[in-house]
Amino acid sequence: MASVQELVKSDPSQVPEKFLVNRNEEDEPKSDLSLKIPIIDLSLLSREQKEELDKLDQACKEWGFFQVVNHGVAAEVLQEMKDATAKFFQLPLEEKNKIRMASGGFEGYGQVDGVARGETMDWSDQLVLTLYPAQFRMLNSWPTEPEGYKEAIEAYSSEVKRVGEELLRSLSLIMGMEKHTLLELHKELLQTLRVNYIPPCSMPDKVLGLSPHSDASTITILMQEDNVTGLQIRKEGEWVPVKPIPNALVVNVGDAIEIWSNGKYKSIEHRAVANEGKLRISYASFLFPHVDVEVGPFDHMVESSRMYKKVKYGDYLTTALKNKLKGKAHTKMAKTGS
């Protein structure tokens, strides 16, 4: 099917029915909580500063989202990734289609959730790539244009991996374990990148760039545009915009951490909205355990009853990816009693 970008190019005023969603007043964002979204200093976490570790603990319990500053990723690396991605999406459709996602596939360029199942479509195009372990890369799905894009992806993703590993060490500590525990449990840390291209929309309140969902990952690390707000998180039943902090990275707790922590740390719903006048591109890096890893609550984190049972992570991920993500419906298979 044609990309959303191409639809907007051909007629900016039209929004086909398959993209239309029903959004009522309760669905509209409340911005007064935006300023309370926690900000975590990675340089202090890496030194195991107790006050910052306590802040991380509170952020994971109460929000499931936080913004990370002083992460050590050079501003040039972030900007080169943004610049090269913008050039990729400006390429002619036939060039981008050289790496089009296969039907039922998840890698390359296109839309992850097809219209074949009769579901509402998200107002976005994607580029999805496996980054680590390097031997898992499907290089025939990687863009060859523009020049230097592969190198920009490589430089950005290796830095995100470093940040992710540092955060997993800190999460191990606040979960009362040795700092290498979570990384070792992953066996091999898997990392994928999903670039979301959300074009302007003439009816932004009638579409969603990304439907509400929680992430099946351990953690997700997101780079936003500095000047366009689009990410919203569900807090106390309300949608809260995550306003960009220049050069910060947004991190959210994934389902694996919620399961390991027996629900103490929250993998919360989030969504992306479209903007009437501005394009928004976001860069989500998902960090996963190896598919053979068994994920279940740590004994020391079970205070009274187990909310989750042990599941093989590969089975959990397959269930999550089989259908378009809808809220937290996919987490049911890991709940006790299911």
Side-chain angles (χ1 to χ4, degrees):
M1 62 166 284
S3 73
V4 182
Q5 183 183 7
E6 294 300 310
L7 286 173
V8 174
K9 263 192 207 170
S10 63
D11 187 348
S13 67
Q14 286 302 307
V15 179
E17 193 175 345
K18 63 191 172 193
F19 294 97
L20 297 177
V21 294
N22 290 319
R23 277 167 58 181
N24 52 37
E25 208 171 305
E26 294 81 63
D27 279 337
E28 295 321 302
K30 309 288 189 293
S31 59
D32 50 339
L33 284 172
S34 285
L35 297 174
K36 297 182 180 175
I37 295 170
I39 298 170
I40 302 290
D41 187 325
L42 191 68
S43 67
L44 299 178
L45 276 188
S46 61
R47 297 204 292 272
E48 298 179 25
Q49 196 208 63
K50 186 180 183 307
E51 189 181 330
E52 209 64 19
L53 286 165
D54 289 344
K55 272 175 71 177
L56 178 66
D57 179 59
Q58 286 299 112
C60 293
K61 275 195 296 200
E62 295 176 10
W63 286 87
F65 264 81
F66 49 94
Q67 301 220 47
V68 174
V69 297
N70 293 331
H71 44 62
V73 185
E76 306 87 75
V77 170
L78 303 178
Q79 194 58 50
E80 281 167 16
M81 181 65 180
K82 290 178 180 178
D83 292 345
T85 299
K87 287 177 187 169
F88 169 76
F89 281 101
Q90 286 162 8
L91 291 171
L93 182 61
E94 55 268 27
E95 183 64 39
K96 295 190 289 251
N97 275 342
K98 288 179 182 175
I99 55 164
R100 186 141 198 104
M101 284 176 198
S103 179
F106 295 102
E107 296 216 27
Y109 164 76
Q111 290 91 16
V112 174
D113 300 308
V115 77
R117 295 189 290 267
E119 293 163 333
T120 304
M121 295 284 291
D122 288 340
W123 189 258
S124 56
D125 298 327
Q126 284 94 33
L127 175 65
V128 183
L129 304 171
T130 296
L131 278 307
Y132 296 106
Q135 67 266 27
F136 287 9
R137 294 178 183 182
M138 294 174 60
L139 293 176
N140 59 339
S141 297
W142 280 54
T144 55
E145 296 288 335
E147 192 179 341
Y149 193 20
K150 275 186 181 176
E151 291 75 13
I153 293 168
E154 183 79 65
Y156 172 72
S157 297
S158 65
E159 283 290 83
V160 166
K161 183 172 186 280
R162 175 186 60 76
V163 170
E165 288 173 348
E166 194 63 62
L167 287 167
L168 289 178
R169 291 185 193 101
S170 297
L171 285 164
S172 290
L173 291 173
I174 64 172
M175 291 170 88
M177 303 180 295
E178 296 292 318
K179 69 178 177 181
H180 299 298
T181 303
L182 279 175
L183 268 172
E184 286 168 2
L185 269 176
H186 279 67
K187 291 188 182 173
E188 270 187 307
L189 188 67
L190 273 66
Q191 183 176 327
T192 62
L193 171 70
R194 175 169 162 161
V195 180
N196 303 300
Y197 181 98
I198 304 175
C201 182
S202 60
M203 295 190 279
D205 56 336
K206 302 284 189 209
V207 302
L208 284 168
L210 291 171
S211 301
H213 63 283
S214 71
D215 290 343
S217 58
T218 302
I219 57 172
T220 303
I221 301 174
L222 181 87
M223 177 168 68
Q224 301 199 82
E225 300 275 18
D226 288 342
N227 59 348
V228 190
T229 302
L231 173 64
Q232 297 177 354
I233 63 178
R234 197 187 275 284
K235 169 77 168 161
E236 295 161 9
E238 297 183 349
W239 289 107
V240 180
V242 180
K243 292 181 178 168
I245 297 172
N247 295 331
L249 295 169
V250 179
V251 177
N252 63 281
V253 171
D255 297 341
I257 290 287
E258 180 167 324
I259 294 168
W260 271 319
S261 71
N262 199 42
K264 178 185 178 182
Y265 298 144
K266 306 291 189 288
S267 172
I268 67 165
E269 281 184 73
H270 49 286
R271 68 182 188 181
V273 297
N275 190 289
E276 189 166 11
K278 287 182 179 174
L279 157 71
R280 178 175 179 266
I281 304 178
S282 63
Y283 309 75
S285 297
F286 303 97
L287 278 64
F288 302 96
H290 190 278
V291 290
D292 292 335
V293 171
E294 281 206 322
V295 180
F298 294 124
D299 289 341
H300 70 276
M301 301 213 70
V302 179
E303 290 179 3
S304 51
S305 60
R306 285 180 187 269
M307 287 178 59
Y308 294 97
K309 60 190 177 187
K310 234 178 216 182
V311 291
K312 189 175 167 188
Y313 185 73
D315 295 340
Y316 182 82
L317 188 61
T318 300
T319 300
L321 294 177
K322 199 160 48 180
N323 297 301
K324 180 174 176 178
L325 293 179
K326 291 176 182 171
K328 296 198 64 161
H330 63 282
T331 63
K332 189 180 174 197
M333 76 161 288
K335 295 270 177 79
T336 51
S338 63

